[in-house]
Amino acid sequence: MSDLPVRAVITGGPGAGKSTLLAALARQGIVTFPEVARAILKAPGGMDLRAQQPEQFALAMLEAELSAWHAAPAGLSIYDRGFPDIAGFLNLEGRPVPASIDQACRMRRYNGPVFHAPPWRAIYAQDAERTQSWQEAQASGLAVAQAWRAYGYRLIELPRTSVDARLAFVMEHLAADLASPRG
């Protein structure tokens, strides 16, 4: 295992199975970082912040993502979303991406695989923080995928299958990625 952090990501729109897969990876002993937006939304005033001040919500996500970035230990960590997700959110909202977020996307590079959970109607469900309609969830998934690609990442699409099969798929890709020399 590397003495340096190896940061992989699971990205995608809301309700595509990212957090469920992350929990399965954590049960395998992999260090994981939960989605920062959900924690902000659960905090007092979080839903209002997202609805009324999307730019401030994005900056709060940036601050939380930076904390998670700096908390990465040596070896493999997997994040539920990352910096380009913030840019994708702002793009979807029709808002400019502040220089601080753009800089984080350009300078704080994830060096492990980036897995994309595509929209999946069969598992999509709304909850207290996931208030988007199915159509909004699809648009969000597209916006974040476009943002990751715009920042030069190659996305590995997750299959729409069981958690165990997705876990096996991710573990296979991680094993191959970690076996490759890092420059």
Side-chain angles (χ1 to χ4, degrees), residues 3 17 22 24 38 41 44 67 80 90 93 98 103-105 125 128 136 183:
D3 290 338
L22 205 73
R38 189 164 275 258
L41 291 169
S67 292
D80 188 338
L90 288 167
E93 293 289 315
Q103 182 179 7
C105 292
E136 291 167 329

Side-chain angles (χ1 to χ4, degrees), residues 6 8-9 25 30 76 78 111-116 154-159 165-180 182:
V6 175
V9 178
L25 288 159
I30 296 172
L76 177 64
I78 303 180
N111 56 352
V114 178
F115 298 97
H116 177 249
R154 183 182 69 84
L155 303 180
I156 301 167
E157 186 162 321
L158 291 170
R166 275 185 160 187
L167 176 63
F169 178 87
V170 169
M171 295 299 284
E172 181 180 316
H173 279 274
L174 290 171
D177 186 78
L178 294 172
S180 299
R182 297 200 175 275

Side-chain angles (χ1 to χ4, degrees), residues 85-105:
D85 283 271
I86 304 169
F89 163 74
L90 288 167
N91 290 335
L92 186 63
E93 293 289 315
R95 308 291 177 131
V97 176
S100 58
I101 294 172
D102 181 66
Q103 182 179 7
C105 292

Side-chain angles (χ1 to χ4, degrees), residues 15-147:
K18 298 177 304 296
S19 298
T20 301
L21 178 56
L22 205 73
L25 288 159
R27 288 191 294 275
Q28 298 296 311
I30 296 172
V31 175
T32 61
F33 290 92
E35 180 182 1
V36 301
R38 189 164 275 258
I40 296 166
L41 291 169
K42 286 182 177 182
M47 293 296 287
D48 288 338
L49 182 66
R50 184 197 185 286
Q52 297 168 12
Q53 299 177 355
E55 295 90 348
Q56 292 305 311
F57 180 67
L59 292 173
M61 287 191 289
L62 173 63
E63 184 177 324
E65 287 289 2
L66 285 168
S67 292
W69 175 271
H70 292 298
L76 177 64
S77 297
I78 303 180
Y79 294 78
D80 188 338
R81 300 185 177 267
F83 300 115
D85 283 271
I86 304 169
F89 163 74
L90 288 167
N91 290 335
L92 186 63
E93 293 289 315
R95 308 291 177 131
V97 176
S100 58
I101 294 172
D102 181 66
Q103 182 179 7
C105 292
R106 294 181 189 286
M107 304 303 292
R108 306 249 193 279
R109 304 292 296 175
Y110 297 91
N111 56 352
V114 178
F115 298 97
H116 177 249
W120 189 2
R121 182 67 181 122
I123 66 169
Y124 182 76
Q126 294 175 309
D127 62 27
E129 293 85 34
R130 186 183 305 126
T131 59
Q132 298 94 336
S133 69
W134 168 241
Q135 291 75 19
E136 291 167 329
Q138 289 177 295
S140 178
L142 179 60
V144 298
Q146 288 173 336

